[in-house]
Amino acid sequence: MMSTVSTHPSAQSSTARYLVRTRTRLSAVAGGAGLLAVLVLALLPLTASRGLLQDLFYLFTMLALAQCWNLLAGFAGLVSVGQQAYVGLGAYLLFALCLWVGLSPLLAIPLAGLLCAVIAVPSAFIVFRLRGPYFAIGTWVLAEVFRLLLAQLRSLGGGTGMSLPREVTNEAGFVAWTAELLHVRAPVARDIASYWLALGLAVLTILLIYRLLRSRPGLALAAIRDNQGAALSVGVDAFRIKLWVYLAVAFVTGMTGALVYLQKARISPDAAFSVLDWTANVLFIVVIGGIGTIEGPIVGVIIFYLLQSQLAGLGSWYLLLLGLIAIAVMRLFPAGLWGSLAGRFDLHLFPIRRQLVLRVGSLENGPATGPSSHKNPGGNDD
């Protein structure tokens, strides 16, 4: 006897009446403006000074690090103060791959990130046993372990560090191609090539995070962040989702560290694993911009760059002022500058909130005059 499935007209009409939408008119305009901005930034080396390119290189690499930390803490609920572990590890792996294996820096950068993700697997099984502040302290301890271990490698400079030779920096293939294309000297070509790589890394990081948050794993990630117990009760594998996020962040952070120290061309354990440079500054960027939003780190890194350019000459007072600004923002705008603005005016340039939209003409009493959206009560997520 064949089984039948009920196809009652009311059931079909109820399922066909609505559709799920994430894109908005504002996000479409923002997408077009973003593409134009990336194009302008890509052509900027044709007219910009070398100093400006170096400043923007720093801004783009900090943006990539801030987006990674925001994904880890703002969306996965894993507050880490040890992300300098993978910045330094990626940088040292770049040096090792270029000097020991003889790889081109262009190949060594993604490979360094991949090796960071591999090393992060056993590290994750250690720190994931910790919860809350203990997890944060555990990530910092892990970074210190990496720093102390790499400081013992004399072939990579030991505790004093080392520099990359000219054949790795100024004479690399992509630097020579840039010099020939733009008819500039090798040092200028290295800055331009590094600038293009940093721009590409920042854009790719934002797009990958946006794509992740709009996918089914992104929904699971939001459920875990909001209520892990409830997420587990409906079958979400919290450990697996958090592990993949942790590995993805280690991969991108490792690539960023490799790129930063390829540009610097010199490394030391204290600089590569600096908690101030690679974690405290990143936390400041995300907090003042808005944690748990993609737009927040973009706003935060611009503010951080402007503050640094204006206040860096004040010495130790600079760090004190940054701390006071962070405290003031957290008191006045608990969701960050962009987070508070977006919450008040419903602004989402990278919308990840699902909307249940009534199809036009689906009402039984006549056609609808326009889409009627039913927003989920959970903020930016389902």
Side-chain angles (χ1 to χ4, degrees), residues 58-59 281 284-285 288-289 299-315 317-327 329 337:
Y58 177 73
L59 186 146
N281 287 340
F284 177 83
I285 289 170
I288 64 173
V299 174
V301 79
I302 295 173
I303 296 174
F304 173 74
Y305 170 72
L306 295 176
L307 289 174
Q308 188 182 56
S309 61
Q310 297 298 320
L311 304 177
L314 298 179
W317 285 100
Y318 162 69
L319 297 176
L320 178 61
L321 287 174
L322 284 186
L324 292 176
I325 291 171
I327 293 172
V329 169
L337 295 178

Side-chain angles (χ1 to χ4, degrees), residues 12-97:
Q12 290 182 344
S13 62
S14 63
T15 58
R17 185 174 297 177
Y18 296 97
L19 57 88
V20 177
R21 185 179 67 185
T22 55
R23 186 174 301 176
T24 64
R25 185 173 301 175
L26 178 61
S27 68
V29 174
L35 288 175
L36 180 61
V38 171
L39 179 61
V40 171
L41 289 171
L43 297 176
L44 193 62
L46 300 177
T47 58
S49 66
R50 188 176 177 185
L52 177 60
L53 294 181
Q54 291 174 346
D55 289 344
L56 290 177
F57 170 87
Y58 177 73
L59 186 146
F60 293 148
T61 52
M62 291 301 292
L63 175 58
L65 293 176
Q67 290 287 359
C68 286
W69 190 86
N70 185 44
L71 175 64
L72 196 64
F75 292 102
L78 299 172
V79 180
S80 168
V81 294
Q83 288 308 103
Q84 69 273 15
Y86 298 107
V87 174
L89 192 58
Y92 268 100
L93 285 170
L94 171 87
F95 274 61
L97 291 170

